[in-house]
Structure formats: structure tokens, C-alpha cells
Amino acid sequence: MPKFMLILHDSKDRGYMSLSPEEMQNVIQDFRDWARKTAESGAMLGGEKLADEEGRRVKRGPEGTIVLDGPFSETKEVVGGFFLIEAADYAAATAIAGGCPQLSWGWVEVRQLDPHAGSDSCALGEVRDLIDQNREAQLARA
Amino acid sequence: MDVSASRDVPELVEHLFRRQAGRMLSSLCAVLGLENLDLAEEVVQEALIKALTDWPYRGIPENPRAWLARTARNLAIDALRRQARFRDREQAIAERLDARSRCIPDPSDLDEDSALPDDQLAMIFACCRPEIPLESRLALTLKTVSGLGVGEIARAFLASETTIAQRIVRAKRRIEELAINLALPAPEELGDRLDSVLHVLYILFNEGYSAAAGENLIRLDLCEEAIRLARLLARRPDTGTPRTLALAALFLLQASRLPARVDHAGDLLPMAEQDRSLWSRELISEGLRLLSGAASGDQLSSYHLLAGIAAEHAVAATFHSTNWAHVLDLYDMLVDVDPSPIVKLNRVVAVAMAKGAQAGLDALDQLGEPKTLRDYYLLPATRAELLSRQGRYAESREMWRRASEKPCSAPIRRFIEKRLAEHTPPPWLRGNLTSG
């Protein structure tokens, strides 16, 4: 079955700042319910929360790779995290994303993993490499 | 990411964030000083946001309260480091914050805060200072002690968020002007200061019990909060005075009727028409227990009398079998203590039930048309009911018509319209109607 990545984006105004304590608790409860439902359906493959900072960009410069600060501080958009799910098609994947409480204060990007890229573990491996690179870039910071 | 349902994490308990916000805020203010209330509020908000953006992914911690308290402590220390005015006190403050964040309740005790910590009590006293305007006291207490958001408070009082925000600012300004400290009042002051707190809770409960206008007759959150705080105050020996117990009893006995107060359409049911099997037995027995606890010492307050009246209703099988003689006695005493027109009007009903409709109408004539009741629908409505009982339907209809001109909430309006319709004879009967 095809795999999709759900990338959680926060909207620019960080609407959750004005939530009352009760409203915040309801959101967490919604998240748990959504995650449990998605996991029980077998669709959830995994996910991670990104750390609370802007990350790094790695580019190739004239003398080798350069590591720059993450783009997010400029665009003021924050990626909260990502999930990997399994779904029959985009319709099914967006239906799952539609239930994600992230929609209360941001939006969810849905991207299909390249079905021709090889085996299942290969796709996940690519994502893991991305995470590892990020960590290495962090360590490379003086 | 916590996707496995098998991992043993505690369910989020009701109002956890609300309660914790109140506790964290009081602890922070106790250490940082009440003059830094704004800073403390920011820290609490940030701590909750951290939970909001962390727990959905990493799962809910084993001891959510401890997590929140620790996070607030760390954020507070960060905030202190950024502000010069705290720099030399940072170490001392950090130690005091540490001490407080170590006193975290057992995770198994997650369901309710069974004891009111000194910090929170001090916060209640500070918010309820008589020098602060009453509406501001209410708004500030709900925000800082009860952990309600500005939006929630606005909806509860049917005011705009701006209005509520202004009331809170006014309260904070008064606190600054008076240089109020966050400390428990000295024993000799406690009585007066407690009266002010009880008064605020009384207003809070009444506001929740029957809204002045709007669609929902009952604003349950306010009632619940008033009850919660009254219970907590009743449990502490220093604040559990007879007056406090009587107020808590009053709240519980009135709240016991809430399930029966509106019908399926959301319309108001007068007590005579309520299904008493829906009244909460638990609340009634807790209320009666508190009332007997209140009947000690030599303090007899209006709360005692109101609670006593509510108790008479609570133990009566039907409206008609209520011990109206007792109720009238209590109202007679209440009028002595509080001769306000509203109390006198309520007494009229007791007079009518104990001594008949004419006695009630006489008492109503004695009351007259006081200015405070000019827009109060219950004045003409009471007269209408009594006239009806005497078969004086045309006069009764006129009174219902007058009642319908008064401002009131939608459910009450529907109730009046219904009565008006009942008193309007069908066209084929109208010609024969004699004036009474």
C-alpha cells in the first residue's frame, strides 16, 4: 500500500497562544483520540516531533557543503512534526489528515512517498538519513 | 510518538490544565510577588503551550502535574535570568521555586485537588479584596484562581472579551496601587476578608444558576467553580466557619435541582412542576450535612437562612407538601437581616403558600413597586399567579402581559409567553369572559 508523509505546519499567528487551559487540554485529548484511531486502523507507521528550533539547511557551495540556519525563522512557519501513514490513495490519506487536530491551529501537508523508490524499508531509511544529517549538522555547529 | 494504546499513560483528567494553571500561578506569585502577576501568567501560559506541543507526540507523562510544575519552574528561571531586576535574587528565587515544585501531589490523586494550598488561598483572598470593584473581583478570580480563559469568562457573563479584559486590568491596577502582598490574612483579619470571598462566590454561583439574559439559563461552569471553591474553603479549619459551611450547603442544595430545572426544550420549569426524582440525592445529603455543621456557634447569617429554605424544599416530596410555615419563618428572619425588595418578593410566595392567595396579594400590595424591581419580570408574574389562583383570569392575563414587557432571557420569555397563552381564552369563549 502506498505510503504518505503528513507534515504538520503551524500557522503564522500561532493561534494556540490564546487558547484557554481547558481548550488546550481538549486539543491534546483530540490528538490522542485521532492518533489512537489512526493507529488502530493500522494506517500509522510512525512519526516524530521536531525539536523546538529552526534546524539547518545544507547546501553545496563552491568549496564544499555549507550549513546555514534553518529557513523557518524567516518564514515564521514552524513544522511541528511528521507522521508516516499507509493509505490506499491520496483520497484516503487526506481523509486521515483531515481528522488531525493540527488543523485547529495550522495545516497538514500530505506527500506521497515515491512508490518507485524501492522497498518499504528503503523509504523509511531515507527519512532516517534526513534526521541523522540534521543531528550531525547540529553537532557540527561550533 | 505514542501510538501504542498499550502504554500505561494516565488519561487526562477533567480540568487538569485549568486546575494546574491556577496552582502554578499562585505558587509563582507567592515566590515572585503579586506585582509580577503578568510575568507569572506568561510563564504559566508558556508551560501549558509546551505541554500542548509536546504531549501529543511524546505521550502524556506519568505525572502530568509534576511535568507542568517543573516546566513552569524552568521557564520562570529563564524569565528571571532575562530580567535585570531579578538578577541578584535569582538564586534565592530559584530555590524557593524548587521547594514548591517538589511538593507535587501523588499521580494517583489526579482526580481532584482535595486540599487548598496556602498559596492558592492567599491568591483567592488577594483577588477578592473589597477594595477591588466587584465585577473585577469576579473576573480576576475566575482567571487566576479558576484558570478560565478570557473568552470563557466573556461567554459566561455574556460580556465582550474586551470588557472582561478591562475588568481584569482594573483589578491588577488596584492590586498594584494597594501594594497587595500574597499572604494569608492575620487571624484577626480573616473573618472580614473571608466575608468578601464568600460574597464573590455567592455572586458567582447566582450568575451561573440563572443567567440574566441569553440562551442558556444555566451556566454550569460558574456553578461548578463556586461549589468547588466553597467546598475547599469548608474543608480548611481556618476558613471552614459556620458561614462558609452554610454557603457551601446553599450551593449544593440549589445545584441539586439543576437536572430538573429545564425541560427537554430548554425551557424553564418552575419548582412546582419539576420532577423531583431528578434532584440529585448526593448533593442534597452533602448539603444537609454541611448545613448541620453550619448550625454551630452563634453566627446566623443570611446564608444560613437561604440554605435553610433550600433545605426545606430539598426534603419535601412535593411543592404542596413543603413545610411552608417553616419556610415563611425563615423568610421573616431573612427580611429582618436583609430587607431588600427581592427578598420581600420571595417571601410573598411563602406567605401565599402558607396562608393563601389573598394573604400573598396583601403582602404584595405592601411591597408596592420599588424602583429596583421595576424591570423585574417576577413582580408582575407573582401577582399574576396569585390572581389566577383566585380565578381572576382577566386581571391575571394583564399581569402576564406586563411581565412579557420586562427584559429577560429567552427561556424565561418562552415561559411567560406560555403562561400568557394559557390565560388567553380561545375565540369562542372570549365574549363570555367576566372580569374578575
Side-chain angles (χ1 to χ4, degrees):
Chain A
M1 207 187 293
K3 293 184 176 53
F4 294 83
M5 194 171 196
L6 303 187
I7 304 167
L8 275 50
H9 293 262
D10 287 345
S11 66
K12 290 176 203 276
D13 64 11
R14 295 183 80 205
Y16 50 73
M17 294 284 255
S18 60
L19 292 180
S20 77
E22 195 78 17
E23 287 162 345
M24 284 196 219
Q25 184 170 330
N26 290 338
V27 171
I28 291 183
Q29 193 60 55
D30 289 346
F31 244 115
R32 300 189 71 211
D33 293 342
W34 174 81
R36 197 183 320 126
K37 206 173 57 168
T38 312
E40 279 167 7
S41 74
M44 186 72 79
L45 297 179
E48 287 289 347
K49 176 187 185 300
L50 297 185
D52 272 336
E53 40 81 39
E54 287 87 35
R56 299 289 181 275
R57 284 175 291 166
V58 180
K59 295 163 94 157
R60 199 180 300 281
E63 282 150 35
T65 50
I66 21 178
V67 180
L68 304 164
D69 283 341
F72 305 119
S73 48
E74 288 139 38
T75 62
K76 288 194 177 59
E77 265 187 46
V78 178
V79 172
F82 67 89
F83 295 101
L84 280 173
I85 63 169
E86 218 168 40
D89 50 30
Y90 258 112
T94 52
I96 292 174
C100 182
Q102 180 68 15
L103 294 177
S104 297
W105 66 73
W107 51 285
V108 179
E109 187 179 344
V110 183
R111 301 292 298 270
Q112 182 170 3
L113 300 191
D114 188 346
H116 303 298
S119 69
D120 288 356
S121 54
C122 192
L124 271 172
E126 281 173 31
V127 175
R128 288 213 186 88
D129 286 346
L130 205 69
I131 298 170
D132 286 336
Q133 268 182 30
N134 197 30
R135 255 187 233 128
E136 279 171 34
Q138 273 184 26
L139 294 169
R141 186 170 39 130
Chain B
M1 161 70 199
D2 174 32
V3 291
S4 72
S6 60
R7 179 168 152 201
D8 180 28
V9 289
E11 284 298 320
L12 275 178
V13 294
E14 232 180 299
H15 306 310
L16 170 70
F17 271 30
R18 243 200 232 175
R19 302 273 179 271
Q20 275 310 96
R23 285 193 157 204
M24 285 190 283
L25 193 62
S26 322
S27 302
L28 287 171
C29 283
V31 174
L32 298 173
L34 201 53
E35 65 273 15
N36 290 303
L37 178 56
D38 282 343
L39 172 64
E41 280 180 323
E42 275 172 38
V43 166
V44 169
Q45 188 76 355
E46 284 290 344
L48 296 178
I49 286 172
K50 270 201 187 283
L52 181 65
T53 53
D54 193 275
W55 294 8
Y57 299 91
R58 286 202 241 271
I60 295 170
E62 293 292 319
N63 192 338
R65 285 184 174 182
W67 191 99
L68 287 170
R70 261 195 320 270
T71 304
R73 170 212 173 272
N74 292 337
L75 286 168
I77 292 176
D78 284 346
L80 297 182
R81 292 205 180 112
R82 286 196 299 269
Q83 304 210 17
R85 59 199 156 119
F86 288 115
R87 224 153 267 158
D88 32 341
R89 293 194 283 149
E90 188 198 305
Q91 186 58 31
I93 292 179
E95 278 167 18
R96 291 175 68 194
L97 286 174
D98 271 335
R100 272 174 167 79
S101 71
R102 272 195 291 269
C103 307
I104 301 302
D106 201 286
S108 60
D109 193 24
L110 278 172
D111 258 340
E112 53 177 317
D113 35 359
S114 47
L116 192 61
D118 283 5
D119 288 347
Q120 264 212 304
L121 180 61
M123 185 64 103
I124 296 174
F125 275 121
C127 293
C128 293
R129 293 276 300 228
E131 299 94 330
I132 301 174
L134 182 60
E135 285 172 337
S136 296
R137 267 181 265 166
L138 286 165
L140 188 65
T141 303
L142 284 174
K143 181 133 205 303
T144 61
V145 176
S146 309
L148 263 62
V150 172
E152 286 163 344
I153 300 174
R155 281 194 296 280
F157 287 104
L158 299 165
S160 69
E161 286 194 30
T162 320
T163 304
I164 300 298
Q166 281 170 354
R167 288 181 191 168
I168 291 173
V169 165
R170 222 168 282 144
K172 289 181 179 175
R173 216 179 284 141
R174 232 28 209 117
I175 286 175
E176 268 184 54
E177 286 166 20
L178 297 167
I180 296 177
N181 259 334
L182 201 69
L184 292 178
E188 59 271 16
E189 289 182 338
L190 197 73
D192 284 336
R193 300 283 303 279
L194 186 57
D195 280 347
S196 176
V197 172
L198 296 180
H199 183 59
V200 168
L201 293 185
Y202 180 70
I203 304 289
L204 191 61
F205 184 87
N206 274 316
E207 192 62 44
Y209 190 75
S210 69
E215 274 309 315
N216 279 320
L217 200 59
I218 293 160
R219 203 105 44 226
L220 273 176
D221 274 6
L222 298 186
C223 288
E224 274 178 20
E225 227 1 67
I227 288 174
R228 184 183 77 91
L229 293 173
R231 273 186 179 135
L232 288 172
L233 290 172
R235 269 184 219 141
R236 284 180 64 119
D238 52 357
T239 53
T241 62
R243 215 181 232 111
T244 305
L245 297 177
L247 187 66
L250 173 61
F251 289 170
L252 291 167
L253 292 167
Q254 293 214 193
S256 74
R257 304 201 294 262
L258 284 173
R261 203 164 179 249
V262 290
D263 67 15
H264 52 89
D267 286 343
L268 182 67
L269 281 175
M271 227 193 292
E273 291 172 33
Q274 288 175 17
D275 177 0
R276 298 196 172 200
S277 69
L278 296 177
W279 289 1
S280 162
R281 296 281 112 205
E282 292 87 10
L283 291 180
I284 290 174
S285 58
E286 191 188 344
L288 292 174
R289 236 182 310 121
L290 282 164
L291 187 56
S292 70
S296 68
D298 50 9
Q299 278 187 16
L300 182 70
S301 65
S302 54
Y303 299 143
H304 283 87
L305 300 172
L306 289 166
I309 292 165
E312 291 292 344
H313 288 303
V315 303
T318 66
F319 189 71
H320 291 278
S321 67
T322 307
N323 194 329
W324 289 108
H326 279 185
V327 173
L328 183 54
D329 274 345
L330 290 166
Y331 267 113
D332 284 341
M333 285 193 266
L334 194 58
V335 166
D336 267 347
V337 167
D338 178 11
S340 71
I342 293 261
V343 171
K344 288 186 181 169
L345 181 57
N346 280 303
R347 180 183 167 274
V348 164
V349 176
V351 169
M353 291 307 295
K355 298 186 179 166
Q358 190 53 51
L361 284 167
D362 293 340
L364 208 49
D365 287 336
Q366 274 187 327
L367 177 55
E369 282 252 358
K371 221 172 10 168
T372 43
L373 295 185
R374 196 180 38 204
D375 284 338
Y376 197 39
Y377 77 95
L378 274 176
L379 186 55
T382 307
R383 189 177 287 274
E385 290 283 2
L386 296 178
L387 289 168
S388 231
R389 270 187 227 176
Q390 294 190 323
R392 293 155 71 174
Y393 298 117
E395 289 171 89
S396 176
R397 182 171 70 247
E398 174 54 26
M399 286 300 122
W400 280 118
R401 198 197 54 75
R402 282 205 209 160
S404 71
E405 291 169 353
K406 310 295 181 192
C408 60
S409 66
I412 289 177
R413 180 158 305 286
R414 285 198 292 272
F415 171 74
I416 296 175
E417 301 289 325
K418 203 161 57 160
R419 280 287 187 271
L420 198 48
E422 283 163 6
H423 282 74
T424 305
W428 52 268
L429 203 55
R430 242 171 248 165
N432 298 341
L433 203 72
T434 55
S435 59

